[in-house]
Amino acid sequence: MVIFLLILLGIPIFGWLQYRQAHSLENLTRPSFSGFEWNAFKLELRVLSLRSALFEAQMRQDTPQLIEQVSTQYSLFFAHMSSIDNGESREAMQDAPIFQTVLAQAHAFVKQADPVLESVSPTPDYPAMQLLLDQVDSLHANVHRLVIEAHSRRYLQSSQLIQEVTALGNYLLVLSSVVLVLGIGWGVSAMRNLSLTLQRQQQFKELYLHSSFHASHDFLTGLANRRLLYDQLQHALASSKRHNAYGAVILIDLDNFKPINDTYGHDAGDMLLVEVAKRMKNCVRDVDTVARLGGDEFAVLLGQINGPAEDVNGTVSMVSQKLLDALSAPYLLTPLGQKAEPGGIRHVCTASVGVAVFFKDELSADQIIKAADAAMYRAKQLGGNRSERAT
Ligand SMILES: Nc1nc2c(ncn2[C@@H]2O[C@H](COP(=O)(O)OP(=O)(O)OP(=O)(O)O)[C@@H](O)[C@H]2O)c(=O)[nH]1
């Protein structure tokens, strides 16, 4: 009798529990952009358009419309900053330390930009524009970090959710087994919920895998990281085999990088690395991969290089020389808060370059990277600012 009463009472309680679980799963699975993420993206877009407007204005040096465009972009940027500063979204973002840095940097930028933009019409002050452009670049690097941090949060959140969903799934499994053993009709609905849970668990796993941007990119420069370079190299080897085309890996290690860290601090070193990344990307095609392997070591993967071996050698030498020239040009850096040198920091550093050409899958990815590394080491031993080919 007592057992019968317990089962009778247990059924509605169990039903209620099922209902709660189904609903909490609904909430867990609903994808949403957090205010943090959304604002980070909007800010990055705004800084990017501000940058390109400033850049155009500087390049063309003529039309008042461009100055107008810069001013418009600037006002939009300013409006966006103020809305973040005052609005609800700040609540969501303020616990991220990087957000505070970006906000402070943006305010410093706005303070500096105001008088410049007032003076640009009708005779633009181009050195001042250049200064603004540098500031926007530095701001952009930080906003980029903010976006990556937003990605990471999403990633962490989803991995946490996977654990939660897995725990719920296990709980449901035990409950439904008990209910099935008791032979109660609720077992059917429990099983349905279980399969729903497992399905959602799978969706979360996919979400988790897809938010892997930060797992394959370098945090500072946004370039591919070592792992992505290896993946791309594997693809390039397969494609080289299919199309009978050559390819090459160029490893680049900066010479004389450490002194900038030692003299001006890591912020200045970081700015230089961001500038190096930008210069390297300008030297190659969009289809080629530029990666940062760590510290001051970078790599370029030239995918399909068409033509006979002599032409391929010519192309690879041309790209290596282009990289050497681009990287050895002086770096003019203006980290915010830098007081030591009013005109900014001028630093010269060259690069040591090692090249390994590959054809089909004669060598493995590891062997190619090792060969390029040995050639790069030779270039460094020979005094740097030069390129050596793998033997
Ligand atoms: N600013 C900054 N510095 C870094 C980062 N990662 C590594 N480093 C520094 O980069 C430096 C690399 O050292 P080295 O390779 O000896 O520098 P180098 O002066 O170019 O020396 P050679 O390569 O021998 O020509 C070290 O001081 C590291 O602390 C980073 O993300 N940011």
Side-chain angles (χ1 to χ4, degrees):
M1 183 64 185
V2 174
I3 293 180
F4 179 72
L5 275 177
L6 276 177
I7 291 176
L8 216 63
L9 272 176
I11 289 173
I13 293 173
F14 179 64
W16 180 75
L17 274 175
Q18 294 273 307
Y19 175 84
R20 284 287 309 271
Q21 274 154 16
H23 277 261
S24 60
L25 281 172
E26 285 281 318
N27 291 336
L28 285 177
T29 46
R30 194 172 298 146
S32 69
F33 251 133
S34 69
F36 177 86
E37 211 168 4
W38 184 232
N39 278 307
F41 278 122
K42 279 205 293 195
L43 192 58
E44 174 152 42
L45 284 181
R46 198 48 75 211
V47 176
L48 271 177
S49 37
L50 179 63
R51 193 200 180 283
S52 68
L54 270 170
F55 188 67
E56 272 181 65
Q58 194 212 23
M59 291 312 276
R60 301 252 301 260
Q61 301 208 349
D62 50 12
T63 60
Q65 294 100 293
L66 279 171
I67 303 300
E68 188 70 40
Q69 201 185 328
V70 175
S71 305
T72 313
Q73 281 300 338
Y74 169 76
S75 324
L76 285 170
F77 169 74
F78 185 60
H80 186 60
M81 281 314 300
S82 316
S83 77
I84 289 181
D85 211 2
N86 305 323
E88 300 159 17
S89 48
R90 183 163 187 188
E91 300 266 301
M93 296 176 84
Q94 67 188 0
D95 53 331
I98 181 75
F99 177 66
Q100 297 302 337
T101 314
V102 173
L103 205 62
Q105 200 177 0
H107 283 312
F109 167 76
V110 165
K111 228 163 120 188
Q112 198 160 1
D114 262 338
V116 176
L117 286 172
E118 262 167 35
S119 78
V120 289
S121 183
T123 350
D125 175 358
Y126 288 103
M129 279 287 211
Q130 176 60 55
L131 196 69
L132 278 192
L133 204 56
D134 288 347
Q135 303 285 8
V136 173
D137 274 350
S138 150
L139 187 60
H140 184 216
N142 269 331
V143 171
H144 187 71
R145 280 198 209 198
L146 185 67
V147 170
I148 294 186
E149 183 163 323
H151 269 290
S152 314
R153 283 178 159 224
R154 196 174 175 75
Y155 176 80
L156 281 179
Q157 206 183 22
S158 49
S159 76
Q160 217 172 7
L161 286 183
I162 286 178
Q163 283 171 12
E164 278 178 40
V165 173
T166 310
L168 274 176
N170 294 339
Y171 175 56
L172 270 182
L173 184 65
V174 173
L175 270 187
S176 37
S177 316
V178 171
V179 171
L180 270 181
V181 167
L182 288 175
I184 295 170
W186 281 96
V188 177
S189 102
M191 285 312 283
R192 238 200 0 250
N193 277 333
L194 176 65
S195 84
L196 198 71
T197 309
L198 293 177
Q199 209 178 322
R200 283 173 177 166
Q201 226 170 295
Q202 187 55 35
Q203 285 170 357
F204 270 114
K205 274 186 188 143
E206 275 158 25
L207 178 74
Y208 178 86
L209 291 176
H210 282 138
S211 54
S212 61
F213 176 84
H214 79 288
S216 55
H217 288 81
D218 170 48
F219 188 75
L220 177 68
T221 58
L223 294 179
N225 64 12
R226 186 182 287 271
R227 185 173 139 187
L228 185 56
L229 176 77
Y230 264 82
D231 283 354
Q232 302 285 41
L233 183 52
Q234 303 284 8
H235 284 301
L237 289 175
S239 156
S240 163
K241 194 173 173 193
R242 220 174 22 252
H243 299 109
N244 280 343
Y246 285 86
V249 169
I250 305 179
L251 284 198
I252 299 124
D253 189 277
L254 300 182
D255 312 315
N256 192 37
F257 169 68
K258 201 168 171 289
I260 191 156
N261 271 342
D262 297 345
T263 317
Y264 301 104
H266 267 243
D267 276 355
D270 283 358
M271 272 188 96
L272 191 136
L273 293 171
V274 170
E275 174 65 20
V276 163
K278 204 159 67 181
R279 291 186 187 184
M280 285 175 57
K281 273 165 94 174
N282 284 338
C283 292
V284 297
R285 305 166 298 179
D286 282 345
V287 290
D288 299 320
T289 303
V290 181
R292 180 172 173 228
L293 306 184
D296 60 349
E297 195 180 346
F298 295 82
V300 170
L301 166 64
L302 304 177
Q304 248 170 278
I305 313 174
N306 298 317
E310 317 80 72
D311 291 359
V312 170
N313 285 337
T315 304
V316 175
S317 302
M318 184 268 289
V319 176
S320 308
Q321 193 55 49
K322 219 164 138 185
L323 285 164
L324 284 172
D325 292 343
L327 298 183
S328 62
Y331 294 81
L332 288 168
L333 310 168
T334 45
L336 283 170
Q338 166 62 40
K339 294 195 179 88
E341 296 182 21
I345 299 165
R346 187 176 188 278
H347 186 76
V348 177
C349 70
T350 54
S352 297
V353 170
V355 181
V357 172
F358 58 83
F359 184 58
K360 297 191 173 177
D361 54 356
E362 286 166 353
L363 296 174
S364 70
D366 259 339
Q367 286 170 320
I368 295 166
I369 301 273
K370 275 199 183 115
D373 197 47
M376 190 261 288
Y377 184 70
R378 223 172 33 250
K380 187 142 297 224
Q381 296 297 95
L382 290 167
N385 196 20
R386 61 186 291 143
S387 152
E388 286 289 306
R389 288 285 290 269
T391 44

